[in-house]
Amino acid sequence: MIQSCLKILFIFLILSSGSFCQSESSDFELNKKTENFFPQNPDPYVAFKLSTKEIALIEKTVGKMSLMDKSAQLVFPWVQADFMNEDSKQFRRLVHLVKDLKVGGLIFFEGDILNQVFLTNKLQELSDIPLLVASDFERGLGMRLKEAIEFPYNMAVAAANDTNLTYWMGRIVAQEAKSIGVYQNYAPMVDLNDNANNPIINIRAFSEDKNLTTNHALAFIKGSKDENVLTTVKHFPGHGATNVDSHKDLPFLNHTKKEFEEDDLVPFQKAINAGVKSVMIGHLEVPAYEPIAGIPATLSKNIVTKLLKKQFGFTGLVVTDAMNMKGLTKNFDNGRATVLAIKAGNDCILFPPNEEESIKAIYKAVENGEIGEERIDYSVKKILAAKTWLKIDKSKIINPDEVTRILNKKSHLRLAQDIADKSITLVKDENKIIPVLPSRYVNPVCIVLSDQYYSPQYSFPELTREIFPGLTDFAFGRSNDEEDFNDALISAKKADLILVPIFSKVRAASNSFGLPENQIKFISKLNKLNKPIVFMSLGNPYILSEMQEVPTYLCSYGDPLVSQKAMIKAIVGKINITGKLPISIPNTSYKIGDGLQLKSNVLISINKEEESGYNFDELDSLMKTALKDSVFPGGVLCVGHNGKIIYKEAFGKFTYDSSSGKMTTDAIFDLASVSKVIGTTTAAMILFDEGKLQLDKKVADYLPQFGNNGKETITVRNLLLHNSGLPEWKPFYKTCKNADEVIHSIMNTELSYPIGSKYLYSDLGMITLQKIIEKVSGTTLDTFLKERVFNPLQMKNTLYNPPVELINRCVPTEIDNYWRMTTLQGKVHDETAYLLGGVAGHAGLFSTAGDLAIFLQMMLQKGKYDTLQIIIPSTENSWTTKQTDQSSRGLGWDTKSSPGTSAGNLFSLNSFGHTGFTGTSVWVDKEKDLFVVLLTNRVYPTRNNLRISKFRPKIHDAVVRAISYN
């Protein structure tokens, strides 16, 4: 009781204009001129690294400004992005704020894209100093503006836990924001949601874990910074550990300093260290740092100046949370709160209830000596420095063409969908009914539950009906009584599958949170039916605490359309389920990091509608131009990305002859040297895994006849690295009559250079390796690969020496007019391989794009495909990694070690692949989860056509551009 009375007394004294006595421990001063308000570095430009010329211009500008104009620069009014007639009261208000009062910036809220663009251009034209336009795009423009893309909530981002996707989310949101004139995003939120009953943070937070939060926040910030847009971490010093919404009242955080320093403050400190240029202060009562009861962090010099600026060394823009929120306005009037916020150390006063009153309050506080003018100058200079760094003056007027070019690109929507797909978390599945097979159910029912006060209209039933045509659906809100559920319960009793999507999420200033009692009772009744039933949270994941008995429970952490689509795809097995809980669920055993993983590990093809998120125009154009320029008569290009074949197209014809048939995607190509990796190297890897092949064992130990003419110390590793000293190749077809003579010649070959002294790509080394493989395996290379690789992987069209029935599907290679005197079709092109009977370590394999796609996906999955582990993961990793500085070679495989290779410039350095003389190539980028198969017969009609060497890098760069989110 005494504490409450004291709190009321303190607040009364704060609001009064008289003197205010306080303890010496507090810097909360009302009537004295502000002193020692600067951070460690008092330079207002330090965060933005401007040139001397730019700083001089700002100093000149500030020197000419009146005190009232400077006061206005600190105030950021709200704007609703709705249509406004220029004669309307709303429009005249904005004109007055911008033209007459000269505010520093604006914050836009809900509305329409085109209206926001129109208003921004009008208001920027009226402003002498460019406006810093801001908005809250935590999950993209779609959360505020109609028809824009809405990204998943932060908690879904953390459940997906792919910082590359988070980086691109930050970058794309920034790119889209800048296109409509928004240069400051009040995101990302770095509050740790360590209170399951938090009614306003919840799924807006990444996680309860400081490290998971930090990782994704930094990725988002980096993406935004790369587009030159200001990010703002919020709500300092942390809004997660409360069950009060600051829109409704002042939250109280009872964490100790130690708890703050070890958890809540960590993401803020890491973001500041990483160069974030803006921090938002929350309306939060934090006694650990502000000893006076009832003082929000926003108005606390101890928190803003001492903690944030001095202790953390933050020098960027400090922004208040919206000043119209009841967490502030319940106890502080607008003008007084504005002055106290400035004295605390804030630079930007966001969304005051009365903007003009706030401006005048700042002005009067300087006039009466309560705030020094140099304090106002400091914030004004910082705000102008931010505007200069953002280069708003050069692009303050928005080009509508840029808006239509950038906004809602298919690749941006694909990014949002990819995050949503990866976020779906299967928390429990006691009866193992996920994935649900639609063909098994003829009478499904979908019962939507929502914590809103009306029966919601969500897309979920409509989307589900596309898969379950016979679906019956119901929807219930918070206001439904027990009788309203009767019809749904009757349908559920007759159903053979019950789907229960639950929409429960945070809403600003809402009085409701969590599921109402009538819905919990209904859920209990559904459970007792003992039917196949799937409960899905499309919002608050903590609701499992209220219905622990449900047998199957999945989370999407929100209800954007992409999240609803992802949930449906997940439950019917159209996508892998890989999400993990970024929080723990109270009163259950489910902790952060939990989540059942359902991965098919099988490559799938997606249809044209799903491919729409990619732009393949450049690929199509390059392939068609290559045909026109006679780079090859025909080819097949196949691209796999994120476990899916996203592109597989055939171009041209089998030959240049007018009578030739068209190329098909199942055409069989002579792989030439690609055989070295798909065949010989793979066999070696398997035998290495089994301990039958040792890399540092001498070749002569396996093949005694090899140990002569200086070859005695060559190892298997030397053969795979192509530094054995063996010659590159020999024209055996001119000197040898059969396979025995070829092998005898290789066994007795003299070295071209000292062992290990340099790199020389050698066919002879791979043929030697073939003989080792056959020796230790006890069978021929073709038989070994068929039994151990091709048959298990269902690579039915990958083989040596295609049989007669497949000849017509084999693409002709060269017109051999120098030895075999025939057009080669279905017969190996390489002369030495032909002499060896078509089965050789360096060449001889034939295959299709589809078969090679399966193989490369197996390699991307660390040697696993479906349930088969073909190669041990560590072997896959080491053999496809560059081994020495001598060359770009891995073991057998080549790697992308520098620009200008056949993989182009845009594949990452974590890539491996190989090319074939006939015009074939395979490249895999582990970092991008990408593979490319390019099969052509560039040697038709002659091998003298060398144009493929310039074409390969172009097509690989185009593929990377096609999968980019940009």
Side-chain angles (χ1 to χ4, degrees):
M1 184 67 181
I2 295 173
Q3 274 189 324
S4 299
C5 292
L6 287 172
K7 183 174 180 178
I8 292 169
L9 176 62
F10 275 127
I11 292 170
F12 172 77
L13 290 170
I14 291 165
L15 293 172
S16 68
S17 58
S19 63
F20 174 61
C21 298
Q22 59 176 4
S23 67
E24 292 182 0
S25 64
S26 174
D27 286 329
F28 196 85
E29 300 178 4
L30 294 180
N31 294 318
K32 296 179 182 179
K33 182 178 288 189
T34 301
E35 300 171 355
N36 196 27
F37 65 88
F38 295 110
Q40 290 175 342
N41 190 332
D43 182 357
Y45 308 109
V46 67
F48 298 98
K49 298 180 175 61
L50 303 182
S51 67
T52 303
K53 183 178 179 181
E54 289 170 327
I55 292 172
L57 182 59
I58 292 173
E59 290 286 338
K60 184 178 179 182
T61 301
V62 174
K64 291 180 178 180
M65 294 172 71
S66 69
L67 175 58
M68 187 66 79
D69 289 349
K70 289 189 286 190
S71 299
Q73 277 293 306
L74 276 57
V75 175
F76 287 65
W78 67 275
V79 185
Q80 200 75 13
D82 292 327
F83 173 75
M84 297 180 194
N85 185 284
E86 292 191 12
D87 292 330
S88 67
K89 181 180 179 181
Q90 300 96 316
F91 188 80
R92 292 199 307 271
R93 164 185 167 265
L94 296 174
V95 170
H96 176 61
L97 289 168
V98 171
K99 186 177 181 180
D100 302 331
L101 298 180
K102 305 182 190 303
V103 294
L106 302 167
I107 172 172
F108 273 89
F109 284 88
E110 287 81 2
D112 176 84
I113 293 170
L114 294 181
N115 287 327
Q116 178 158 334
V117 169
F118 170 80
L119 280 172
T120 300
N121 280 345
K122 279 284 184 182
L123 297 173
Q124 287 285 22
E125 286 173 354
L126 293 172
S127 181
D128 296 332
I129 296 174
L131 297 163
L132 176 53
V133 178
S135 197
D136 180 356
F137 293 146
E138 289 174 23
R139 48 191 176 87
L141 278 61
M143 68 176 283
R144 297 291 180 193
L145 299 170
K146 299 168 187 173
E147 299 177 352
I149 294 171
E150 191 176 7
F151 282 83
Y153 281 81
N154 281 345
M155 198 170 282
V157 173
N161 200 18
D162 185 332
T163 52
N164 181 56
L165 293 180
T166 313
Y167 163 85
W168 276 106
M169 179 179 169
R171 186 167 178 180
I172 295 308
V173 170
Q175 191 180 100
E176 291 194 344
K178 192 165 64 172
S179 78
I180 63 169
V182 173
Y183 281 85
Q184 182 169 17
N185 186 5
Y186 295 135
M189 178 182 286
V190 297
D191 303 313
L192 305 182
N193 199 73
D194 48 11
N195 186 335
N197 295 315
N198 193 315
I200 189 59
I201 303 302
N202 199 268
I203 55 176
R204 294 171 62 201
F206 287 110
S207 173
E208 67 187 35
D209 179 73
K210 61 187 176 185
N211 296 321
L212 190 56
T213 297
T214 298
N215 291 342
H216 289 283
L218 295 186
F220 187 97
I221 291 166
K222 175 68 166 61
S224 299
K225 184 179 179 183
D226 286 350
E227 290 293 333
N228 212 50
V229 167
L230 278 178
T231 47
T232 307
V233 289
K234 61 185 183 184
H235 304 85
F236 191 84
H239 201 323
T242 178
N243 59 1
V244 175
D245 178 359
S246 51
H247 292 86
K248 300 290 291 181
D249 208 338
L250 181 63
F252 182 89
L253 289 91
N254 60 2
H255 277 188
T256 64
K257 277 189 179 182
K258 182 179 180 182
E259 287 173 318
F260 271 107
E261 289 168 2
E262 291 182 352
D263 288 299
D264 299 76
L265 288 170
V266 170
F268 289 101
Q269 181 68 80
K270 293 288 180 68
I272 290 167
N273 294 345
V276 73
K277 298 187 184 303
S278 182
V279 173
M280 178 180 284
I281 311 299
H283 301 315
L284 310 164
E285 185 173 353
V286 189
Y289 292 99
E290 175 51 65
I292 299 180
I295 303 302
T298 336
L299 310 184
S300 170
K301 186 175 179 182
N302 284 316
I303 292 173
V304 180
T305 295
K306 280 191 171 182
L307 179 61
L308 177 61
K309 292 184 174 182
K310 291 185 177 179
Q311 186 174 323
F312 279 19
F314 181 65
T315 57
L317 284 182
V318 184
V319 183
T320 69
D321 204 346
M323 299 288 283
N324 70 330
M325 294 165 63
K326 290 183 180 178
L328 190 67
T329 60
K330 267 193 171 184
N331 297 318
F332 297 89
D333 68 55
N334 178 48
R336 196 69 200 138
T338 298
V339 171
L340 297 177
I342 297 297
K343 293 182 70 174
N346 293 280
D347 300 304
C348 304
I349 305 300
L350 177 65
F351 199 169
N354 185 316
E355 303 91 356
E356 190 163 359
E357 183 182 49
S358 289
I359 294 168
K360 289 178 179 177
I362 298 170
Y363 176 86
K364 289 178 182 177
V366 178
E367 285 283 281
N368 65 26
E370 185 178 348
I371 299 178
E373 189 166 356
E374 72 279 6
R375 166 69 188 88
I376 305 303
D377 289 349
Y378 175 76
S379 287
V380 172
K381 290 174 184 178
K382 224 197 286 189
I383 291 167
L384 295 184
K387 294 178 180 181
T388 302
W389 181 78
L390 292 165
K391 297 181 172 55
I392 301 176
D393 60 321
K394 292 181 173 59
S395 55
K396 71 175 187 176
I397 303 303
I398 303 160
N399 180 351
D401 291 339
E402 279 294 285
V403 178
T404 56
R405 183 183 70 82
I406 292 173
L407 244 61
N408 291 354
K409 286 171 68 172
K410 292 177 180 178
S411 58
H412 296 183
L413 181 58
R414 174 166 55 88
L415 170 62
Q417 191 64 63
D418 285 349
I419 295 171
D421 287 354
K422 291 191 77 170
S423 74
I424 302 299
T425 307
L426 179 58
V427 179
K428 60 187 300 192
D429 188 21
E430 293 174 358
N431 299 324
K432 293 184 169 52
I433 66 169
I434 302 296
V436 171
L437 300 179
S439 60
R440 291 183 181 177
Y441 304 101
V442 296
N443 189 25
V445 62
C446 177
I447 304 171
V448 177
L449 300 179
S450 169
D451 60 0
Q452 296 183 50
Y453 278 98
Y454 57 90
S455 298
Q457 299 296 317
Y458 284 108
S459 302
F460 195 90
E462 181 181 341
L463 294 169
T464 308
R465 191 169 282 108
E466 294 175 6
I467 300 171
F468 297 94
L471 186 77
T472 302
D473 65 281
F474 300 85
F476 301 102
R478 181 175 290 271
S479 59
N480 288 103
D481 57 37
E482 198 165 337
E483 290 183 4
D484 294 335
F485 294 98
N486 288 341
D487 288 344
L489 191 60
I490 291 170
S491 288
K493 288 177 180 178
K494 298 175 183 177
D496 52 8
L497 174 68
I498 305 170
L499 303 175
V500 187
I502 303 173
F503 294 83
S504 174
K505 65 177 183 178
V506 295
R507 295 178 189 86
S510 173
N511 289 316
S512 59
F513 185 68
L515 295 180
E517 186 63 29
N518 58 352
Q519 291 185 10
I520 294 174
K521 289 181 179 178
F522 178 64
I523 288 169
S524 180
K525 291 178 182 179
L526 290 177
N527 277 323
K528 291 175 182 177
L529 296 178
N530 292 320
K531 299 264 189 171
I533 186 167
V534 180
F535 289 90
M536 296 156 278
S537 168
L538 289 106
N540 176 10
Y542 300 105
I543 58 172
L544 183 61
S545 296
E546 304 175 72
M547 49 180 202
Q548 298 176 42
E549 74 278 10
V550 302
T552 300
Y553 181 73
L554 300 96
C555 300
S556 69
Y557 312 94
D559 61 4
L561 185 58
V562 290
S563 294
Q564 294 188 52
K565 287 182 175 179
M567 180 64 81
I568 293 167
K569 289 192 289 184
I571 63 174
V572 298
K574 284 192 172 184
I575 58 173
N576 293 328
I577 299 179
T578 58
K580 294 183 178 181
L581 284 172
I583 46 86
S584 298
I585 302 178
N587 304 318
T588 75
S589 61
Y590 301 106
K591 305 299 181 187
I592 185 170
D594 286 350
L596 302 172
Q597 307 289 285
L598 294 184
K599 299 180 183 179
S600 68
N601 288 319
V602 174
L603 188 65
I604 61 173
S605 296
I606 59 177
N607 59 42
K608 287 291 184 182
E609 183 180 345
E610 291 171 311
E611 288 174 8
S612 61
Y614 298 92
N615 185 349
F616 297 126
D617 292 347
E618 187 181 5
L619 297 185
D620 292 340
S621 177
L622 281 171
M623 291 296 288
K624 290 173 183 176
T625 300
L627 296 176
K628 183 179 177 182
D629 294 343
S630 299
V631 177
F632 42 77
V636 177
L637 179 64
C638 180
V639 180
H641 186 224
N642 292 339
K644 303 171 184 175
I645 293 179
I646 60 171
Y647 184 94
K648 186 165 75 168
E649 299 291 339
F651 295 86
K653 300 188 295 184
F654 272 37
T655 72
Y656 292 113
D657 300 338
S658 58
S659 60
S660 173
K662 286 187 176 181
M663 187 62 67
T664 60
T665 56
D666 65 348
I668 299 172
F669 286 80
D670 182 335
L671 299 184
S673 285
V674 172
S675 305
K676 290 181 173 74
V677 289
I678 306 299
T680 312
T681 300
T682 303
M685 294 167 88
I686 293 170
L687 293 170
F688 171 79
D689 287 341
E690 295 175 348
K692 296 177 181 177
L693 183 69
Q694 298 177 37
L695 295 181
D696 295 313
K697 193 171 181 178
K698 293 171 185 150
V699 173
D701 290 339
Y702 294 104
L703 304 172
Q705 67 271 35
F706 183 82
N708 58 64
N709 292 326
K711 303 195 297 298
E712 291 85 356
T713 59
I714 293 175
T715 64
V716 172
R717 189 184 299 274
N718 293 137
L719 299 180
L720 287 161
L721 289 173
H722 294 273
N723 66 359
S724 65
L726 290 169
E728 182 178 7
W729 76 289
K730 285 186 177 182
F732 292 111
Y733 72 97
K734 294 182 179 180
T735 60
C736 300
K737 296 178 182 178
N738 53 47
D740 289 342
E741 290 185 10
V742 171
I743 299 303
H744 181 267
S745 177
I746 293 173
M747 294 299 110
N748 291 283
T749 291
E750 295 182 355
L751 296 181
S752 296
Y753 60 91
I755 299 167
S757 63
K758 70 174 186 177
Y759 161 78
L760 181 67
Y761 181 77
S762 173
D763 284 352
L764 276 66
M766 296 305 287
I767 296 170
T768 303
L769 182 57
Q770 172 197 359
K771 292 297 142 185
I772 297 173
I773 290 168
E774 293 179 337
K775 178 78 174 289
V776 299
S777 68
T779 188
T780 59
L781 178 64
D782 57 335
T783 300
F784 182 88
L785 288 167
K786 181 178 179 181
E787 293 176 351
R788 301 296 299 277
V789 182
F790 303 148
N791 280 354
L793 291 177
Q794 298 290 301
M795 296 171 63
K796 298 178 181 179
N797 297 297
T798 304
L799 69 172
Y800 297 89
N801 293 320
V804 173
E805 59 267 24
L806 293 180
I807 294 299
N808 288 335
R809 285 177 54 200
C810 293
V811 179
T813 50
E814 191 172 18
I815 299 177
D816 183 346
N817 56 12
Y818 51 88
W819 183 43
R820 284 169 279 186
M821 302 304 175
T822 187
T823 297
L824 301 176
Q825 183 175 16
K827 299 294 181 183
V828 64
H829 175 265
D830 183 89
E831 297 90 351
T832 303
Y834 184 79
L835 279 170
L836 291 171
V839 180
H842 70 299
L845 263 182
F846 287 73
S847 190
T848 62
D851 275 12
L852 293 176
I854 293 172
F855 181 90
L856 297 181
Q857 186 63 30
M858 177 271 292
M859 294 294 287
L860 266 173
Q861 292 170 176
K862 301 187 181 301
K864 186 174 185 179
Y865 194 83
D866 201 358
T867 60
L868 303 171
Q869 190 72 52
I870 304 295
I871 300 164
I872 291 175
S874 59
T875 301
E876 180 280 325
N877 183 61
S878 62
W879 287 48
T880 57
T881 301
K882 181 181 174 183
Q883 299 292 301
T884 69
D885 292 333
Q886 192 176 68
S887 73
S888 61
R889 307 302 297 195
L891 292 170
W893 290 91
D894 199 2
T895 70
K896 165 72 180 338
S897 59
S898 63
T901 66
S902 64
N905 296 314
L906 302 181
F907 265 62
S908 77
L909 293 180
N910 193 13
S911 299
F912 63 94
H914 214 283
T915 61
F917 185 78
T918 51
T920 59
S921 63
V922 292
W923 274 100
V924 175
D925 190 328
K926 296 191 223 180
E927 187 175 295
K928 294 181 171 63
D929 198 5
L930 169 72
F931 67 76
V932 179
V933 178
L934 175 63
L935 302 180
T936 78
N937 56 336
R938 70 95 190 168
V939 292
Y940 185 91
T942 171
R943 67 183 64 192
N944 295 327
N945 175 11
L946 303 177
R947 297 183 184 94
I948 193 73
S949 61
K950 292 183 179 179
F951 175 76
R952 282 182 178 130
K954 291 180 182 178
I955 200 71
H956 287 107
D957 282 348
V959 166
V960 175
R961 284 191 287 269
I963 68 164
S964 171
Y965 294 116
N966 205 359

